[in-house]
Amino acid sequence: MNELDALVDAATGSFAQAATPADLENAKAQFLGKSGRVTELMKGMAALPVDEKKVRGAAINLAKQAIEAALTARRQALADAELQLQLQAEALDVSLPGRQRQQGGLHPVSLTLERIEAIFGSMGFDVAQGPEIETDWFNFTALNTPEDHPARSMHDTFYVEGGTEAAPNLLRTHTSPMQIRYAVQHVKQHRALMDAGGVMPEIRVIAPGRTYRVDSDATHSPMFHQCEGLWIGQNVNFKDLKVVFTDFCRTFFESNDLVLRFRPSFFPFTEPSAEIDIQFQTGPLAGRWLEVAGSGQVHPNVVRNMGLDPENYIGFAFGMGPDRLTMLRYGVNDLRLFFDGDLRFLSQFQ
Ligand code: PHE
Protein backbone atom coordinates (compact mmCIF):
# COMPACT_ATOMS: atom_id res chain seq x y z
CA MET A 1 0.00 0.00 0.00
CA ASN A 2 1.45 3.37 -0.89
CA GLU A 3 1.87 6.22 1.55
CA LEU A 4 -1.24 8.11 0.36
CA ASP A 5 -3.55 5.10 0.56
CA ALA A 6 -2.20 4.48 4.07
CA LEU A 7 -3.04 8.08 4.95
CA VAL A 8 -6.61 7.71 3.69
CA ASP A 9 -6.92 4.51 5.71
CA ALA A 10 -5.57 6.20 8.83
CA ALA A 11 -8.02 9.09 8.45
CA THR A 12 -10.97 6.81 7.82
CA GLY A 13 -10.06 4.76 10.91
CA SER A 14 -9.62 7.79 13.05
CA PHE A 15 -12.99 9.21 11.90
CA ALA A 16 -14.66 5.89 12.62
CA GLN A 17 -13.35 6.00 16.17
CA ALA A 18 -14.76 9.48 16.83
CA ALA A 19 -17.89 8.86 18.90
CA THR A 20 -19.18 12.44 18.97
CA PRO A 21 -19.24 15.35 16.50
CA ALA A 22 -16.62 17.13 18.70
CA ASP A 23 -14.25 14.12 18.52
CA LEU A 24 -14.78 14.04 14.78
CA GLU A 25 -13.79 17.70 14.36
CA ASN A 26 -10.59 17.02 16.35
CA ALA A 27 -9.77 14.06 14.14
CA LYS A 28 -10.45 16.17 11.05
CA ALA A 29 -7.94 18.79 12.26
CA GLN A 30 -5.21 16.14 12.39
CA PHE A 31 -5.60 15.45 8.68
CA LEU A 32 -7.15 18.47 7.00
CA GLY A 33 -6.30 21.24 9.50
CA LYS A 34 -3.70 24.01 9.00
CA SER A 35 -0.89 21.81 10.22
CA GLY A 36 -2.67 18.53 9.44
CA ARG A 37 -1.02 15.72 7.58
CA VAL A 38 -2.54 16.47 4.15
CA THR A 39 -1.52 20.10 4.44
CA GLU A 40 2.03 19.03 5.38
CA LEU A 41 2.17 16.86 2.21
CA MET A 42 1.06 19.83 0.10
CA LYS A 43 3.78 21.97 1.64
CA GLY A 44 6.35 19.24 0.95
CA MET A 45 5.69 19.57 -2.83
CA ALA A 46 7.36 22.99 -2.99
CA ALA A 47 10.75 21.39 -3.43
CA LEU A 48 9.74 19.09 -6.34
CA PRO A 49 10.43 19.80 -10.02
CA VAL A 50 7.47 21.03 -12.05
CA ASP A 51 6.54 17.78 -13.86
CA GLU A 52 6.71 15.73 -10.65
CA LYS A 53 4.62 18.38 -8.85
CA LYS A 54 1.74 17.78 -11.29
CA VAL A 55 1.64 14.03 -10.72
CA ARG A 56 2.19 14.28 -6.98
CA GLY A 57 -0.33 17.12 -6.65
CA ALA A 58 -3.02 15.14 -8.44
CA ALA A 59 -2.37 12.12 -6.22
CA ILE A 60 -2.49 14.17 -3.02
CA ASN A 61 -5.74 15.78 -4.18
CA LEU A 62 -7.30 12.39 -4.76
CA ALA A 63 -6.29 11.33 -1.27
CA LYS A 64 -7.63 14.58 0.15
CA GLN A 65 -10.98 14.06 -1.61
CA ALA A 66 -11.16 10.53 -0.27
CA ILE A 67 -10.50 11.81 3.27
CA GLU A 68 -13.15 14.53 2.88
CA ALA A 69 -15.63 11.97 1.63
CA ALA A 70 -14.89 9.75 4.65
CA LEU A 71 -15.38 12.78 6.93
CA THR A 72 -18.72 13.67 5.37
CA ALA A 73 -19.91 10.07 5.61
CA ARG A 74 -18.93 9.87 9.28
CA ARG A 75 -20.60 13.21 10.05
CA GLN A 76 -23.78 11.96 8.48
CA ALA A 77 -23.55 8.66 10.39
CA LEU A 78 -23.13 10.46 13.73
CA ALA A 79 -26.05 12.79 12.99
CA ASP A 80 -28.24 9.83 11.99
CA ALA A 81 -27.34 8.00 15.20
CA GLU A 82 -28.18 11.03 17.30
CA LEU A 83 -31.52 11.49 15.55
CA GLN A 84 -32.26 7.82 16.09
CA LEU A 85 -31.58 8.14 19.83
CA GLN A 86 -33.80 11.23 20.05
CA LEU A 87 -36.62 9.51 18.21
CA GLN A 88 -36.38 6.56 20.55
CA ALA A 89 -36.41 8.79 23.63
CA GLU A 90 -39.39 10.76 22.42
CA ALA A 91 -41.32 7.85 21.06
CA LEU A 92 -45.03 7.77 21.86
CA ASP A 93 -46.56 4.48 22.75
CA VAL A 94 -49.89 4.94 21.01
CA SER A 95 -51.11 1.65 22.43
CA LEU A 96 -51.09 3.03 26.05
CA PRO A 97 -54.57 3.75 27.47
CA GLY A 98 -55.40 7.50 27.52
CA ARG A 99 -55.33 9.53 30.73
CA GLN A 100 -58.91 10.05 31.76
CA ARG A 101 -60.15 13.40 32.92
CA GLN A 102 -61.84 13.07 36.31
CA GLN A 103 -65.41 14.18 36.54
CA GLY A 104 -65.71 16.95 39.14
CA GLY A 105 -68.82 17.93 41.03
CA LEU A 106 -70.24 20.16 43.72
CA HIS A 107 -69.63 19.51 47.42
CA PRO A 108 -72.73 18.07 49.15
CA VAL A 109 -73.06 21.21 51.28
CA SER A 110 -72.88 23.34 48.12
CA LEU A 111 -75.63 21.18 46.64
CA THR A 112 -77.72 21.97 49.73
CA LEU A 113 -76.99 25.69 49.49
CA GLU A 114 -78.03 25.69 45.83
CA ARG A 115 -81.22 23.92 46.80
CA ILE A 116 -81.97 26.37 49.61
CA GLU A 117 -81.36 29.31 47.28
CA ALA A 118 -83.60 27.84 44.59
CA ILE A 119 -86.47 27.16 46.98
CA PHE A 120 -86.38 30.54 48.74
CA GLY A 121 -85.72 32.20 45.38
CA SER A 122 -89.01 30.77 44.15
CA MET A 123 -90.69 32.42 47.16
CA GLY A 124 -89.31 35.83 46.21
CA PHE A 125 -86.28 35.89 48.50
CA ASP A 126 -83.12 37.68 47.40
CA VAL A 127 -79.75 35.99 48.08
CA ALA A 128 -77.07 38.08 49.83
CA GLN A 129 -73.42 37.46 50.67
CA GLY A 130 -71.49 39.12 53.50
CA PRO A 131 -68.01 39.19 55.06
CA GLU A 132 -66.74 36.33 57.22
CA ILE A 133 -64.55 38.74 59.22
CA GLU A 134 -67.09 40.86 61.05
CA THR A 135 -67.04 43.70 63.51
CA ASP A 136 -68.30 43.26 67.03
CA TRP A 137 -71.05 45.74 66.14
CA PHE A 138 -72.68 43.73 63.35
CA ASN A 139 -72.13 40.33 64.95
CA PHE A 140 -73.33 41.23 68.46
CA THR A 141 -74.13 44.81 69.43
CA ALA A 142 -76.52 45.66 66.61
CA LEU A 143 -78.24 42.33 67.27
CA ASN A 144 -79.15 43.39 70.79
CA THR A 145 -76.59 41.06 72.33
CA PRO A 146 -75.45 42.40 75.73
CA GLU A 147 -71.77 42.94 76.66
CA ASP A 148 -71.79 40.02 79.09
CA HIS A 149 -73.44 37.48 76.77
CA PRO A 150 -71.45 34.19 76.82
CA ALA A 151 -71.27 34.04 73.01
CA ARG A 152 -68.97 37.08 73.16
CA SER A 153 -66.35 35.28 75.28
CA MET A 154 -62.97 34.19 73.95
CA HIS A 155 -63.97 30.57 74.58
CA ASP A 156 -66.76 30.75 72.05
CA THR A 157 -65.58 33.22 69.45
CA PHE A 158 -62.47 33.62 67.27
CA TYR A 159 -61.27 37.19 67.64
CA VAL A 160 -58.92 38.33 64.90
CA GLU A 161 -56.48 41.20 64.38
CA GLY A 162 -57.46 44.46 62.77
CA GLY A 163 -60.05 45.95 65.09
CA THR A 164 -59.70 48.10 68.18
CA GLU A 165 -60.17 47.02 71.77
CA ALA A 166 -63.50 48.80 71.86
CA ALA A 167 -64.54 47.41 68.46
CA PRO A 168 -62.75 44.09 67.90
CA ASN A 169 -62.89 42.08 64.68
CA LEU A 170 -63.98 38.47 64.78
CA LEU A 171 -64.94 35.57 62.57
CA ARG A 172 -68.71 35.81 62.42
CA THR A 173 -70.33 33.34 64.80
CA HIS A 174 -73.57 33.29 62.80
CA THR A 175 -75.02 34.76 59.60
CA SER A 176 -77.31 37.07 61.60
CA PRO A 177 -75.05 40.15 61.06
CA MET A 178 -76.34 39.97 57.47
CA GLN A 179 -79.77 40.92 58.78
CA ILE A 180 -78.37 44.32 59.72
CA ARG A 181 -76.05 44.75 56.73
CA TYR A 182 -78.74 43.90 54.18
CA ALA A 183 -81.53 45.83 55.90
CA VAL A 184 -79.42 48.98 56.29
CA GLN A 185 -78.65 48.94 52.54
CA HIS A 186 -82.27 48.27 51.67
CA VAL A 187 -83.53 51.06 53.95
CA LYS A 188 -80.98 53.49 52.50
CA GLN A 189 -82.22 52.68 48.98
CA HIS A 190 -85.81 53.44 49.93
CA ARG A 191 -85.21 56.25 52.44
CA ALA A 192 -86.41 59.00 50.10
CA LEU A 193 -89.61 57.10 49.38
CA MET A 194 -90.29 56.63 53.12
CA ASP A 195 -89.44 60.28 53.88
CA ALA A 196 -92.06 61.24 51.30
CA GLY A 197 -94.63 59.18 53.21
CA GLY A 198 -94.32 56.00 51.13
CA VAL A 199 -94.06 52.43 52.35
CA MET A 200 -90.78 50.54 52.06
CA PRO A 201 -90.94 47.50 49.75
CA GLU A 202 -90.61 44.41 51.94
CA ILE A 203 -87.21 43.00 52.85
CA ARG A 204 -87.09 39.36 51.84
CA VAL A 205 -83.62 37.85 51.82
CA ILE A 206 -81.59 34.79 52.66
CA ALA A 207 -77.86 35.00 53.43
CA PRO A 208 -75.94 31.70 53.25
CA GLY A 209 -72.29 31.39 54.18
CA ARG A 210 -69.51 30.19 56.44
CA THR A 211 -69.57 30.83 60.17
CA TYR A 212 -67.08 30.08 62.97
CA ARG A 213 -67.18 29.01 66.60
CA VAL A 214 -64.71 27.47 69.06
CA ASP A 215 -66.33 24.06 68.89
CA SER A 216 -65.25 20.67 67.54
CA ASP A 217 -66.76 17.17 67.73
CA ALA A 218 -68.78 14.77 65.56
CA THR A 219 -71.63 17.25 65.17
CA HIS A 220 -69.72 20.55 65.53
CA SER A 221 -66.95 21.93 63.37
CA PRO A 222 -65.11 25.23 64.09
CA MET A 223 -66.10 26.26 60.57
CA PHE A 224 -69.66 25.47 59.60
CA HIS A 225 -72.40 26.88 57.42
CA GLN A 226 -75.51 28.83 58.21
CA CYS A 227 -78.23 30.35 56.15
CA GLU A 228 -79.99 33.39 57.50
CA GLY A 229 -83.49 34.39 56.48
CA LEU A 230 -85.13 37.76 56.99
CA TRP A 231 -88.57 39.02 56.05
CA ILE A 232 -89.60 42.50 57.17
CA GLY A 233 -92.71 44.41 56.18
CA GLN A 234 -95.64 46.16 57.74
CA ASN A 235 -97.57 43.07 58.67
CA VAL A 236 -95.28 40.07 58.51
CA ASN A 237 -95.90 37.72 61.41
CA PHE A 238 -95.23 34.33 62.96
CA LYS A 239 -97.89 32.70 60.84
CA ASP A 240 -95.93 33.76 57.74
CA LEU A 241 -92.76 32.28 59.24
CA LYS A 242 -94.55 29.03 59.87
CA VAL A 243 -95.98 28.85 56.35
CA VAL A 244 -92.73 29.77 54.64
CA PHE A 245 -90.56 27.47 56.70
CA THR A 246 -92.92 24.53 56.48
CA ASP A 247 -93.09 24.99 52.74
CA PHE A 248 -89.32 25.16 52.56
CA CYS A 249 -88.75 21.99 54.62
CA ARG A 250 -91.31 19.95 52.74
CA THR A 251 -89.83 21.00 49.40
CA PHE A 252 -86.26 20.53 50.56
CA PHE A 253 -86.85 17.01 51.88
CA GLU A 254 -89.46 16.17 49.21
CA SER A 255 -91.79 15.01 51.95
CA ASN A 256 -95.32 16.40 52.11
CA ASP A 257 -96.20 14.87 55.46
CA LEU A 258 -93.15 16.29 57.24
CA VAL A 259 -94.25 18.01 60.49
CA LEU A 260 -92.79 21.14 62.11
CA ARG A 261 -92.71 22.15 65.75
CA PHE A 262 -91.89 25.63 67.05
CA ARG A 263 -90.31 25.20 70.46
CA PRO A 264 -90.05 28.35 72.64
CA SER A 265 -86.45 29.50 72.97
CA PHE A 266 -84.35 32.60 73.47
CA PHE A 267 -82.17 34.74 71.21
CA PRO A 268 -81.26 38.33 72.11
CA PHE A 269 -82.25 39.52 68.62
CA THR A 270 -85.72 37.96 68.40
CA GLU A 271 -88.74 38.17 70.65
CA PRO A 272 -90.51 35.84 70.89
CA SER A 273 -88.00 33.19 69.78
CA ALA A 274 -88.39 29.58 68.74
CA GLU A 275 -86.28 26.61 67.76
CA ILE A 276 -87.71 24.87 64.73
CA ASP A 277 -87.81 21.06 64.90
CA ILE A 278 -88.91 18.77 62.09
CA GLN A 279 -90.23 15.23 62.16
CA PHE A 280 -90.29 12.77 59.28
CA GLN A 281 -93.22 10.37 59.15
CA THR A 282 -91.39 7.76 57.09
CA GLY A 283 -87.82 6.66 56.55
CA PRO A 284 -85.01 5.86 58.99
CA LEU A 285 -85.47 9.07 61.01
CA ALA A 286 -89.27 8.80 61.33
CA GLY A 287 -90.77 9.89 64.64
CA ARG A 288 -87.77 11.78 66.00
CA TRP A 289 -87.78 15.55 66.50
CA LEU A 290 -84.76 17.05 64.74
CA GLU A 291 -83.70 20.62 65.35
CA VAL A 292 -83.00 22.49 62.10
CA ALA A 293 -83.18 26.24 62.81
CA GLY A 294 -83.45 29.09 65.30
CA SER A 295 -86.04 31.73 64.59
CA GLY A 296 -88.19 34.49 65.96
CA GLN A 297 -89.85 37.82 65.50
CA VAL A 298 -87.18 40.46 64.98
CA HIS A 299 -86.59 42.37 68.25
CA PRO A 300 -87.65 46.06 68.17
CA ASN A 301 -84.10 47.15 69.06
CA VAL A 302 -82.81 45.27 66.00
CA VAL A 303 -85.50 46.82 63.77
CA ARG A 304 -84.31 50.20 65.06
CA ASN A 305 -80.67 49.34 64.26
CA MET A 306 -81.81 48.60 60.70
CA GLY A 307 -82.94 52.20 60.48
CA LEU A 308 -86.65 51.40 60.72
CA ASP A 309 -89.39 52.38 63.18
CA PRO A 310 -90.45 49.23 65.06
CA GLU A 311 -93.93 50.76 65.41
CA ASN A 312 -94.22 50.56 61.61
CA TYR A 313 -92.14 47.60 60.55
CA ILE A 314 -92.12 44.07 61.88
CA GLY A 315 -91.01 40.68 60.66
CA PHE A 316 -89.17 37.50 61.40
CA ALA A 317 -85.77 35.98 61.01
CA PHE A 318 -84.43 32.47 61.03
CA GLY A 319 -81.03 30.86 60.94
CA MET A 320 -80.61 27.30 59.77
CA GLY A 321 -77.68 24.93 59.44
CA PRO A 322 -77.12 23.70 55.88
CA ASP A 323 -74.56 21.16 57.16
CA ARG A 324 -77.21 19.63 59.39
CA LEU A 325 -79.75 19.64 56.56
CA THR A 326 -77.22 17.86 54.35
CA MET A 327 -76.58 15.22 57.03
CA LEU A 328 -80.32 14.60 57.40
CA ARG A 329 -80.97 14.52 53.69
CA TYR A 330 -78.22 11.99 52.92
CA GLY A 331 -78.12 10.10 56.24
CA VAL A 332 -74.57 11.16 57.16
CA ASN A 333 -73.83 10.95 60.89
CA ASP A 334 -70.43 12.63 61.22
CA LEU A 335 -70.20 16.29 60.23
CA ARG A 336 -66.40 16.06 59.95
CA LEU A 337 -66.71 13.88 56.83
CA PHE A 338 -67.85 16.97 54.92
CA PHE A 339 -64.64 18.87 55.65
CA ASP A 340 -61.98 16.11 55.44
CA GLY A 341 -61.78 16.35 51.65
CA ASP A 342 -61.82 12.56 51.17
CA LEU A 343 -62.84 11.92 47.55
CA ARG A 344 -64.14 8.43 48.37
CA PHE A 345 -66.79 10.17 50.48
CA LEU A 346 -67.37 13.26 48.35
CA SER A 347 -67.70 11.41 45.03
CA GLN A 348 -70.78 9.59 46.34
CA PHE A 349 -72.82 12.78 45.97
CA GLN A 350 -72.21 13.22 42.23
N1 PHE B 1 -78.20 33.25 64.85
C1 PHE B 1 -78.86 32.21 65.61
C2 PHE B 1 -77.85 31.10 65.91
O1 PHE B 1 -76.81 31.10 65.33
C3 PHE B 1 -80.02 31.61 64.85
C4 PHE B 1 -81.15 32.59 64.64
C5 PHE B 1 -81.18 33.35 63.51
C6 PHE B 1 -82.13 32.72 65.59
C7 PHE B 1 -82.21 34.25 63.30
C8 PHE B 1 -83.15 33.61 65.42
C9 PHE B 1 -83.21 34.36 64.27
O2 PHE B 1 -78.08 30.24 66.73
Side-chain angles (χ1 to χ4, degrees):
M1 188 190 286
N2 76 30
E3 168 211 20
L4 287 176
D5 289 343
L7 184 61
V8 172
D9 265 12
T12 307
S14 157
F15 295 162
Q17 263 173 19
T20 68
D23 288 350
L24 184 58
E25 294 315 305
N26 284 337
K28 170 197 163 186
Q30 281 174 32
F31 295 92
L32 301 170
K34 260 193 193 143
S35 50
R37 289 168 63 182
V38 174
T39 319
E40 291 302 321
L41 289 177
M42 300 281 216
K43 283 183 194 158
M45 291 197 313
L48 296 179
V50 177
D51 51 343
E52 272 184 49
K53 248 185 206 169
K54 263 192 181 169
V55 178
R56 176 79 174 151
I60 294 177
N61 256 336
L62 275 178
K64 187 182 176 191
Q65 281 166 15
I67 292 173
E68 280 170 349
L71 175 69
T72 305
R74 182 63 184 150
R75 269 192 189 138
Q76 191 59 50
L78 283 178
D80 284 353
E82 196 180 6
L83 180 63
Q84 212 49 47
L85 273 181
Q86 194 184 346
L87 286 177
Q88 256 165 40
E90 292 173 6
L92 285 181
D93 181 351
V94 292
S95 68
L96 278 177
R99 271 187 216 119
Q100 273 192 346
R101 207 174 272 229
Q102 291 266 329
Q103 175 95 41
L106 287 180
H107 189 280
V109 174
S110 300
L111 294 172
T112 294
L113 291 174
E114 282 200 339
R115 212 168 152 77
I116 293 172
E117 288 171 20
I119 297 169
F120 278 102
S122 77
M123 295 193 256
F125 281 72
D126 197 5
V127 178
Q129 304 273 349
E132 290 170 29
I133 296 178
E134 260 301 1
T135 61
D136 171 78
W137 163 261
F138 283 111
N139 196 81
F140 293 125
T141 312
L143 291 166
N144 200 40
T145 306
E147 288 292 344
D148 59 357
H149 194 281
R152 300 180 83 134
S153 91
M154 293 284 213
H155 304 289
D156 288 323
T157 297
F158 294 108
Y159 287 89
V160 296
E161 286 172 1
T164 62
E165 195 155 337
N169 280 346
L170 45 90
L171 298 183
R172 63 180 180 187
T173 60
H174 51 179
T175 43
S176 299
M178 279 307 289
Q179 289 186 33
I180 308 289
R181 285 187 180 273
Y182 186 89
V184 164
Q185 278 303 112
H186 184 91
V187 167
K188 209 159 119 192
Q189 249 174 45
H190 301 288
R191 174 58 65 202
L193 173 75
M194 286 189 272
D195 285 349
V199 173
M200 176 190 78
E202 287 186 348
I203 295 173
R204 217 180 291 174
V205 66
I206 59 166
R210 280 185 278 270
T211 47
Y212 303 84
R213 284 182 206 173
V214 185
D215 224 350
S216 187
D217 58 42
T219 52
H220 297 89
S221 151
M223 186 288 298
F224 59 105
H225 295 85
Q226 278 199 341
C227 181
E228 199 74 9
L230 178 69
W231 188 357
I232 302 270
Q234 287 201 297
N235 190 22
V236 181
N237 57 43
F238 235 98
K239 176 200 69 195
D240 298 311
L241 168 60
K242 195 165 181 182
V243 167
V244 160
F245 213 82
T246 303
D247 209 26
F248 163 72
C249 289
R250 289 185 176 166
T251 310
F252 183 88
F253 288 109
E254 296 168 271
S255 164
N256 278 330
D257 53 5
L258 188 142
V259 178
L260 273 75
R261 170 173 84 176
F262 287 74
R263 182 162 40 85
S265 185
F266 174 81
F267 299 101
F269 34 92
T270 47
E271 179 61 34
S273 306
E275 305 277 359
I276 307 177
D277 301 335
I278 61 170
Q279 191 188 74
F280 296 99
Q281 305 310 305
T282 51
L285 296 169
R288 281 169 56 191
W289 285 111
L290 309 158
E291 184 182 318
V292 291
S295 68
Q297 182 170 297
V298 180
H299 193 287
N301 286 346
V302 176
V303 175
R304 219 170 273 124
N305 288 333
M306 292 170 173
L308 293 169
D309 177 3
E311 296 293 328
N312 255 327
Y313 292 95
I314 192 167
F316 62 78
F318 55 82
M320 59 181 151
D323 306 328
R324 188 83 207 287
L325 295 183
T326 312
M327 290 170 78
L328 293 175
R329 176 149 189 252
Y330 296 109
V332 173
N333 53 18
D334 192 333
L335 175 68
R336 290 168 295 198
L337 286 168
F338 288 140
F339 307 126
D340 284 346
D342 187 337
L343 288 178
R344 289 171 304 177
F345 173 73
L346 295 174
S347 59
Q348 294 178 51
F349 299 88
Q350 305 317 318

